[in-house]
Amino acid sequence: MTAWLLRRLAASVAIVFAVLTLTFVLIHLAPGTPFLPSTDDRSVGPEIIARLRRQYGLDRPLPVQYLKYIGSVAHGEFGESFSQHRPVAQALADAVPNTVLLGIAALVIEFTLGIALGAYQAARARRRVDAALSHLTLFFYSVPTFWLGLALLLVFGQWLRWLPVGGVSDPIVHDTLPWAGRVFDTLRHLVLPACTLGLVGAAGTARYQRAAMLEVIHQDYIRTARAKGLSERRVLLRHALRNAVLPVITLLGLSLPFLLTGAVLVETVFSWPGMGKLAADAIFSRDYPVVTAAAILAAAMVALSSVVADLLTALADPRVRLGDGDAA
Amino acid sequence: MLRTWVSLAVLVAGSTGGAFALRRRCERTGRGRRFFRHPTATTGVAVLTFFVLVAVCAPLVAPYDPSAQPDPVGLQNRPPSWLHPFGTDLYSHDVLSRVVYGAQVSLGVGTLAMLVALTLGAVVGAIAGYTGRWIDAVLMRLVDVGIAVPRMFLLLMAVALWSRLPLGTLIVLIGVTGWFGTSRLVRAEVLSLRERPFVDAARALGARSGRVIFGHVLPNAAAPLIVSAALGIGHVMLLEAALSFLGIGVRPPVASWGNMIADGRDLLTIAPWISLVPGLGIAAVVMSLNAVGDALRDALDPREEAT
Amino acid sequence: MRTRVVVGVLVAVVAAAACGRRVGCTGEYCGTLVIAAPGEPDILLPPASDDARAAAVFDQVFVKLADLGPSGNTIGDAGFVPELAEKWEWDNPRTLTFHLNAAARWHDGRPVRAEDVAFTFDVNTDPAVNSPARASLARVRRVTTRDSLTVVFHFSEAYPEMFYDAVHHLRILPAHLLRTVPRDQFRTAAIGRAPVGAGCYRFVEWRAGQSLELAADSTCFLGRPHIRRLVWRFTPDPTVAVTQLLAGEADVFEYLSPPDLERVRTAGDLVTYPYAGPYYTFLVFNLRTRGDTTLPHPLFADREIRRALTLATDRQQMVQSVFAGLAKVPPGPMPLLWATWDSTLRVLPFDSAAAGRLLGARGWRDHDGDGVRDKDGQKLAFELLTPTTSVIRRQYARLLQEQFRRVGVAVEITEVDNNVMTQRLETGNFDAALMSRIADPSPTSSVALVWLAGGGSNYSHYDNPVFAEAYARATGATTRQASMYGWRAVFQQLIDDAPGIWLYSQQSVAAMHRRVADVRLRPDAPYALARTWRIPPDRLIDRDRVERR
């Protein structure tokens, strides 16, 4: 177990290192140059850009820059953002909690909704409700996220005025509220972006859950449970669902990169200052230190979550033995 | 305009008729029966046939030139009417004509990018699964790296490398960033097939590794591949829309469903048809692909072969 | 049972949230203005930033010696209104003395002194800082202090816009806080994220990616501002920014796009305020070979080809299509803001037949019948560069593409991000591009920057001695009338040489909640007078009354 964990963690470090290298090379090869203003209606002047490039060591050969960067990352130094004029660590520290909050909320929606729908559909397999729900979830799956987000904002923000139009919290009253009010305010702001991100994923999870459930339902121990005279509801919830949820946990680890990716668009539409928006802006403005740091962080999160997902699977299902090489 | 209506009617009739004819023919075989047993399979086949036919016959169906701007002042953002059944957009383009030509691009990009991803994934997965040892380890670590970078980051960076991005390159890029999951799937399948008798037999007959992999192992691993491919096409179409939203998708004046949706999003309240029509197009294709994929999985499932 | 507990907790949370609102502020000096902003400033330190979004914050936090008056005049000192300087006098034509207001205080409580002004001048002319104001201060030889409240500007020569140059770009900085900051690190200084100035609003908080808040300084020497809090709420998607406005979550958006204006017109709570905008946009031709600035461009080095392409464009129709009355076709490269806007200039009309004749006369004919003109096997085609971030320019690129197609010219549109766009413009690696400029109140610096040989943004490499001479005459004129006459000649030369196609100058429109009264928007800086806006006590809404903890 410990050996397995150590091996997986070492592999994770290697993965993160490879991602760092890949990102570093790609972003430095891209045309364009850092330090340009974010709009093109004024100009900075080539001499000032040349000086800034010198100041940040961008005039040196790429391998030298790479080695220097590796050295500073090894010391936990991520450098200074070119466009935000502050340490990268600070910029990330502002963005990461937002992404994590949004990601967790979206995951909760995705999995509770997906598992519930999938289980319900499996119980009603091949009936009309099943087909109707399949189509409904697929419809959400096939709507571009940014479009869904804009439509939700129009309906719930502008027309009904039930929920706020973007942002993480109310800039005026948030700080004046007692803690419960602040929590409520944050939740209100979280609803729409989390739903946008979660609904799209729920469709996939529901399909997966439905299939897993159908597989389980036909197995012997379910027949036994039914034969014992247990209520159908109890059979499905206690016995079938429990076993069918297992494969879905693996899915949880795999859906993290999707959440980070899908988040770029959702964060833009909902003015949610998270990692996706930060990284996309950094790529567009050639803010090299932020791009590489964001990629490192994202890779680390993905690698770690896949380890955690494997661990969870093993803990939940005694038949899975850890240490089967790289079976995960 | 009459030509459009007539050809649309012919295509609808043709695709529906075709789907039912196919169903009658296939019901003679066990697989075909299992395929069409799905309630939505026939509809799915009909819808897909319809869109493919529309894409192929675009010049016949489209009432206007898709990039013509007849009157950017007088004919801007017009709601649907007899002359423009799906209305017009910001540039006075006819939305119907653009949707029709956009089907060519969107279905084309979706299919080709998916094929690139599928081929790469299948080849890498098969080689890794079949050869094992260090090749397997190296390839799978590569896949781990690919999965660890969010795809949108990769695409954003890769797209930035080209200052003018040809359609072909975009397709390859989407494909190249999307094969990691497939390769894991194929590898797992190959691992379980590797020790089967027919593979041993082929090896005993002196077939070389490449021949065994591509001649014997892969065809038997096809079922999950086909299903994931069906969903993959829809996914690529959505990805293309997202890239267009960020301004790096299919370039104008070429129409794609994705860039139509992205172009129409600022006009969501005053001219919703611009983004709604291509959006519904994507939804219809994804739902049909999915229905067909589901049916295919049942039809190809070896466990059902016995019953 | 369990559900009841959950419901109970929810009710408690909602109740606690509701009880959090107290009655709060009443009277003349309440008011909270939420500004929907599509982007974030880069850094809040005037000499280190040339960003329009930062400038809106500078206008509140920092003061100038004197500010542009409502007339917008930039010649001599007529019309300028006192700000940090109570009064000024000319010791001789080249020496200008300012007397500072003794009541002015930095936000940390220290008085503003003459040495702060001298320090500010020093910083802004330091090449290591590379302030955007540096070029305009080139003819100020030095700045000295006579006593703690008197500061003297010594010019190397007398010229019409010398007063404007001395005051307009110079936002006075606190010397006691910035003296220790190394000059080459102004762009990364910590104070740039928490600025200290002497303006009527002081900095409160900047939450990255979310909001930026300023609070009124009730003891401000320019008069107590009526609106207590100014909050910029960052909303990257402009469509969503307008949705916030319509949902009542924001009060102002200063830069409505045409479709957004249509959305706002139907909203009862909002009033629109048009103001002459500082933006203008044109298609710039690269007169040199793509990627090699030493050779002439095969097409665009020829003045007649450039004129033909201008004749081929129906600019009036494009403005109608894109802006529906919110912009005008300028006679030359100028914003609506400039006094040089002159409708009597001779412009090239829309005449595609004439365009065709001109191109034909130069040997460009459609020999192979494919719809595109060609000469010696070479197609009449070029690439048009446009930034992905500008919806309006992307729209223009496609309209232009179609209009050029009609006269047999093939245009390939390349949409690139701003960064690549600027880089390609600066290295001359392009054929033609859609360029937007934001202008100063005076054409002097902008025209030099974009059209004089060696100008920092002269991406066309336009170089005409006749034009340069006309420019020197215009900027040397000492009366407003002579200056107008001079600028007329300058722009006529540009129009005739057609180094670009002058597409549109925007009429900016701001939308604001109707409870805000006494609103005046200065065309060059819409928020410059925000300290005089007010919200009458009987029109306060909830967010105006909220007390900050």
Side-chain angles (χ1 to χ4, degrees):
Chain A
M1 176 79 189
T2 321
W4 175 86
L5 200 61
L6 281 177
R7 212 165 50 237
R8 282 298 302 262
L9 286 178
S12 301
V13 171
I15 288 173
V16 171
F17 187 76
V19 169
L20 183 165
T21 311
L22 178 73
T23 319
F24 189 93
V25 171
L26 267 182
I27 192 69
H28 278 82
L29 283 182
T33 172
F35 313 115
L36 290 173
S38 50
T39 50
D40 65 316
D41 40 32
R42 292 185 184 236
S43 36
V44 175
E47 71 281 356
I48 188 82
I49 288 176
R51 226 202 32 243
L52 283 166
R53 289 183 70 91
R54 253 196 322 280
Q55 187 181 328
Y56 286 96
L58 296 181
D59 52 340
R60 308 228 205 124
L62 201 55
V64 178
Q65 289 184 48
Y66 176 69
L67 289 177
K68 251 194 89 187
Y69 186 71
I70 299 280
S72 57
V73 168
H75 289 94
E77 268 293 322
F78 288 98
E80 192 149 312
S81 159
F82 296 161
S83 58
Q84 294 197 16
H85 309 293
R86 56 179 184 154
V88 173
Q90 259 182 39
L92 285 177
D94 276 344
V96 169
N98 291 329
T99 290
V100 169
L101 182 65
L102 180 60
I104 289 178
L107 273 182
V108 167
I109 292 177
E110 177 180 335
F111 279 86
T112 45
L113 200 67
I115 290 174
L117 272 180
Y120 181 77
Q121 280 182 265
R124 301 267 182 291
R126 310 228 162 135
R127 293 201 215 153
R128 255 200 214 132
V129 201
D130 176 26
L133 281 175
S134 281
H135 284 123
L136 191 72
T137 50
L138 266 181
F139 181 76
F140 277 113
Y141 175 83
S142 54
V143 176
T145 36
F146 65 85
W147 199 88
L148 182 65
L150 285 170
L152 287 178
L153 273 184
L154 278 180
V155 174
F156 293 101
Q158 189 190 327
W159 294 336
L160 298 174
R161 296 204 182 185
W162 288 354
L163 292 165
V165 182
V168 185
S169 60
D170 187 316
I172 308 299
V173 297
H174 188 82
D175 286 341
T176 68
L177 297 173
W179 69 268
R182 284 206 292 274
V183 171
F184 183 68
D185 183 50
T186 306
L187 285 180
R188 265 167 49 85
H189 283 82
L190 189 59
V191 173
L192 286 183
C195 281
T196 307
L197 213 51
L199 275 181
V200 176
T205 315
R207 283 173 53 77
Y208 206 84
Q209 177 67 25
R210 178 180 175 274
M213 211 41 195
L214 279 179
E215 196 126 310
V216 170
I217 282 177
H218 294 301
Q219 284 181 4
D220 292 340
Y221 66 91
I222 296 293
R223 287 197 198 131
T224 323
R226 282 205 181 113
K228 279 200 305 196
L230 293 177
S231 75
E232 185 66 21
R233 189 192 157 111
R234 208 181 153 80
V235 171
L236 285 177
L237 287 184
R238 279 287 154 87
H239 296 267
L241 187 58
R242 202 174 182 180
N243 285 290
V245 162
L246 278 179
V248 178
I249 294 178
T250 327
L251 207 64
L252 210 147
L254 287 178
S255 62
L256 204 94
F258 167 76
L259 281 179
L260 290 176
T261 318
V264 178
L265 302 181
V266 171
E267 285 173 5
T268 307
V269 169
F270 289 98
S271 333
W272 193 273
M275 286 259 295
K277 181 85 176 79
L278 183 75
D281 283 350
I283 292 173
F284 283 131
S285 64
R286 306 290 183 270
D287 193 341
Y288 303 151
V290 174
V291 175
T292 36
I296 291 172
L297 200 63
M301 278 160 80
V302 173
L304 277 181
S305 70
S306 109
V307 175
V308 171
D310 288 351
L311 259 181
L312 282 179
T313 320
L315 291 179
D317 185 351
R319 282 171 304 175
V320 177
R321 276 178 300 122
L322 294 176
D324 281 3
D326 41 33
Chain B
M1 207 61 224
L2 184 67
R3 175 172 49 91
T4 305
W5 291 117
V6 170
S7 48
L8 272 177
V10 169
L11 290 187
V12 168
S15 50
T16 326
F20 275 102
L22 188 74
R23 180 176 173 172
R24 263 198 306 284
R25 280 193 72 152
C26 290
E27 284 196 323
R28 284 176 218 143
T29 66
R31 280 196 173 167
R33 220 179 7 258
R34 280 208 302 282
F35 181 85
F36 282 106
R37 198 173 59 194
H38 268 262
T40 47
T42 320
T43 327
V45 171
V47 172
L48 284 184
T49 319
F50 173 73
F51 277 114
V52 171
L53 284 178
V54 164
V56 173
C57 311
L60 207 65
V61 181
Y64 308 95
D65 175 356
S67 46
Q69 302 170 356
D71 181 2
V73 179
L75 258 181
Q76 194 180 34
N77 298 334
R78 290 281 124 167
S81 63
W82 281 112
L83 280 176
H84 300 279
F86 289 156
T88 61
D89 71 3
L90 198 56
Y91 305 92
S92 74
H93 296 136
D94 175 54
V95 173
L96 173 63
S97 306
R98 284 184 85 73
V99 169
V100 166
Y101 276 93
Q104 281 184 344
V105 176
S106 285
L107 292 177
V109 169
T111 315
L112 291 176
M114 185 274 303
L115 279 179
V116 171
L118 202 66
T119 317
L120 270 172
V123 169
V124 171
I127 291 176
Y130 184 80
T131 51
R133 293 192 309 274
W134 65 271
I135 297 184
D136 181 25
V138 168
L139 288 177
M140 282 303 109
R141 290 298 81 82
L142 197 72
V143 169
D144 285 341
V145 172
I147 283 184
V149 198
R151 188 176 185 183
M152 196 61 96
F153 287 16
L154 260 186
L155 274 173
L156 278 175
M157 281 189 290
V159 166
L161 289 177
W162 279 265
S163 52
R164 33 169 140 181
L165 187 76
L167 195 55
T169 317
L170 183 69
I171 292 173
V172 171
L173 279 179
I174 294 179
V176 164
T177 52
W179 56 272
F180 309 112
T182 316
S183 70
R184 277 192 178 173
L185 198 77
V186 172
R187 175 176 169 274
E189 204 70 19
V190 170
L191 276 180
S192 72
L193 286 170
R194 195 168 59 175
E195 311 304 330
R196 293 279 196 85
F198 66 88
V199 177
D200 282 338
R203 241 182 316 217
L205 287 173
R208 275 192 291 179
S209 313
R211 216 185 139 71
V212 178
I213 295 179
F214 294 103
H216 299 271
V217 177
L218 267 186
N220 280 288
L225 273 187
I226 291 173
V227 176
S228 85
L231 280 180
I233 294 179
H235 192 79
V236 171
M237 288 163 73
L238 291 174
L239 194 65
E240 192 259 310
L243 289 177
S244 290
F245 176 88
L246 295 170
I248 50 179
V250 173
R251 304 282 151 125
V254 175
S256 79
W257 291 353
N259 69 20
M260 290 179 75
I261 297 177
D263 278 351
R265 68 172 173 124
D266 290 324
L267 305 161
L268 204 56
T269 42
I270 52 179
W273 50 89
I274 299 173
S275 51
L276 216 52
V277 178
L280 290 176
I282 293 188
V285 168
V286 169
M287 280 153 99
S288 319
L289 278 170
N290 204 61
V292 171
D294 273 351
L296 265 180
R297 186 180 46 211
D298 282 5
L300 298 175
D301 191 345
R303 275 174 298 180
E304 302 238 358
E305 206 83 32
T307 56
Chain C
M1 179 62 210
R2 211 182 291 166
T3 46
R4 254 187 237 162
V5 173
V6 172
V7 170
V9 168
L10 271 180
V11 167
V13 169
V14 173
C19 293
R21 309 243 164 105
R22 280 157 296 169
V23 183
C25 181
T26 51
E28 192 51 49
Y29 296 98
C30 299
T32 297
L33 200 69
V34 179
I35 301 162
E40 223 170 331
D42 49 358
I43 182 163
L44 294 178
L45 196 57
S49 174
D50 195 9
D51 186 58
R53 297 170 295 202
V57 178
F58 295 158
D59 284 334
Q60 321 306 324
V61 176
F62 294 95
V63 287
K64 300 173 180 179
L65 288 163
D67 204 4
L68 218 57
S71 69
N73 174 49
T74 57
I75 297 170
D77 61 2
F80 279 87
V81 288
E83 223 171 62
L84 178 62
E86 273 178 328
K87 56 184 196 301
W88 55 84
E89 71 241 354
W90 298 89
D91 299 354
N92 62 57
R94 290 187 291 147
T95 314
L96 175 58
T97 305
F98 291 97
H99 300 280
L100 307 191
N101 190 326
R105 293 276 180 285
W106 296 111
H107 295 145
D108 62 5
R110 297 227 198 167
V112 182
R113 296 292 180 206
E115 58 172 304
D116 290 315
V117 180
F119 172 78
T120 305
F121 172 78
D122 189 40
V123 165
N124 276 284
T125 47
D126 191 332
V129 176
N130 201 52
S131 157
R134 197 167 145 231
S136 349
L137 296 171
R139 283 180 275 183
V140 182
R141 206 149 30 86
R142 64 202 164 91
V143 171
T144 55
T145 57
R146 199 169 290 160
D147 58 56
S148 73
L149 290 174
T150 313
V151 57
V152 186
F153 279 61
H154 306 269
F155 289 87
S156 58
E157 59 175 306
Y159 60 99
E161 287 189 331
M162 57 200 295
F163 188 83
Y164 165 79
D165 276 350
V167 301
H168 186 72
H169 298 283
L170 227 48
R171 301 182 197 271
I172 310 304
L173 302 167
H176 64 285
L177 294 174
L178 281 164
R179 221 183 281 287
T180 52
V181 178
R183 293 293 167 86
D184 57 355
Q185 281 167 31
F186 260 56
R187 273 161 211 273
T188 54
I191 194 174
R193 290 191 77 84
V196 174
C200 282
Y201 284 90
R202 67 189 159 70
F203 173 83
V204 176
E205 191 181 24
W206 179 359
R207 294 184 196 199
Q210 300 182 37
S211 59
L212 191 150
E213 178 166 349
L214 306 179
D217 181 355
S218 55
T219 61
C220 179
F221 70 100
L222 291 168
R224 182 176 180 184
H226 290 265
I227 294 177
R228 201 168 39 137
R229 294 166 84 184
L230 288 181
V231 178
W232 276 263
R233 194 172 165 183
F234 306 127
T235 308
D237 192 292
T239 310
V240 177
V242 175
T243 308
Q244 284 179 345
L245 204 64
L246 293 168
E249 289 179 32
D251 298 310
V252 202
F253 188 68
E254 85 266 24
Y255 199 61
L256 292 174
S257 74
D260 288 335
L261 186 64
E262 206 160 311
R263 293 171 68 196
V264 164
R265 279 206 175 112
T266 55
D269 280 348
L270 299 170
V271 183
T272 50
Y273 293 91
Y275 61 99
Y279 293 95
Y280 62 102
T281 302
F282 52 93
L283 180 151
V284 62
F285 292 115
N286 187 357
L287 272 50
R288 301 290 165 83
T289 297
R290 196 185 156 121
D292 184 350
T293 51
T294 57
L295 297 173
H297 192 279
L299 288 174
F300 302 142
D302 183 350
R303 181 173 178 261
E304 292 309 303
I305 300 263
R306 302 195 304 261
R307 286 172 63 97
L309 290 174
T310 308
L311 287 168
T313 54
D314 187 349
R315 288 171 281 161
Q316 207 59 51
Q317 188 209 41
M318 288 189 283
V319 157
Q320 265 305 313
S321 167
V322 176
F323 292 101
L326 264 187
K328 285 188 179 156
V329 177
M334 59 182 90
L336 279 162
L337 169 69
W338 286 351
T340 56
W341 189 286
D342 183 348
S343 48
T344 62
L345 286 161
R346 269 176 292 111
V347 298
L348 295 170
F350 166 51
D351 186 347
S352 48
R357 279 196 303 276
L358 265 177
L359 292 173
R362 294 277 153 157
W364 291 101
R365 294 207 170 78
D366 188 6
H367 297 98
D368 53 4
D370 65 347
V372 180
R373 290 170 190 267
D374 50 89
K375 184 164 108 179
D376 312 329
Q378 206 61 12
K379 288 205 176 304
L380 184 48
F382 64 91
E383 183 196 27
L384 178 60
L385 212 58
T386 186
T388 45
T389 43
S390 167
V391 176
I392 287 176
R393 272 183 275 171
R394 282 163 78 182
Q395 213 175 325
Y396 254 86
R398 291 166 72 173
L399 292 169
L400 284 165
Q401 186 180 39
E402 169 72 6
Q403 298 198 342
F404 287 135
R405 190 186 63 84
R406 289 183 187 165
V407 292
V409 179
V411 172
E412 188 197 343
I413 299 174
T414 300
E415 294 177 352
V416 290
D417 55 69
N418 261 322
N419 200 293
V420 176
M421 168 112 174
T422 312
Q423 197 196 28
R424 287 183 63 179
L425 287 174
E426 277 184 352
T427 53
N429 183 16
F430 72 104
D431 290 327
L434 291 183
M435 227 173 113
S436 235
R437 303 302 292 176
I438 178 167
D440 281 340
S442 150
T444 311
S445 55
S446 301
V447 169
L449 203 62
V450 184
W451 303 113
L452 278 188
S457 305
N458 186 354
Y459 302 135
S460 64
H461 295 94
Y462 173 69
D463 180 6
N464 183 348
V466 183
F467 167 78
E469 210 171 291
Y471 173 82
R473 267 200 307 276
T475 49
T478 48
T479 64
R480 202 159 174 154
Q481 184 135 33
S483 150
M484 283 303 138
Y485 192 75
W487 282 115
R488 212 186 118 79
V490 167
F491 285 112
Q492 192 61 60
Q493 191 63 47
L494 272 178
I495 294 165
D496 293 343
D497 284 342
I501 303 179
W502 327 118
L503 294 172
Y504 58 88
S505 300
Q506 266 161 285
Q507 166 80 61
S508 300
V509 179
M512 195 163 333
H513 194 279
R514 66 184 160 79
R515 75 180 192 285
V516 188
D518 296 352
V519 174
R520 276 178 304 156
L521 299 175
R522 218 174 65 193
D524 63 305
Y527 295 110
L529 301 170
R531 63 170 192 270
T532 63
W533 303 352
R534 61 191 203 95
I535 297 177
D538 55 330
R539 295 197 213 157
L540 296 177
I541 61 171
D542 280 352
R543 72 165 156 269
D544 296 322
R545 300 195 194 96
V546 172
E547 291 288 359
R548 214 186 139 80
R549 267 203 185 158

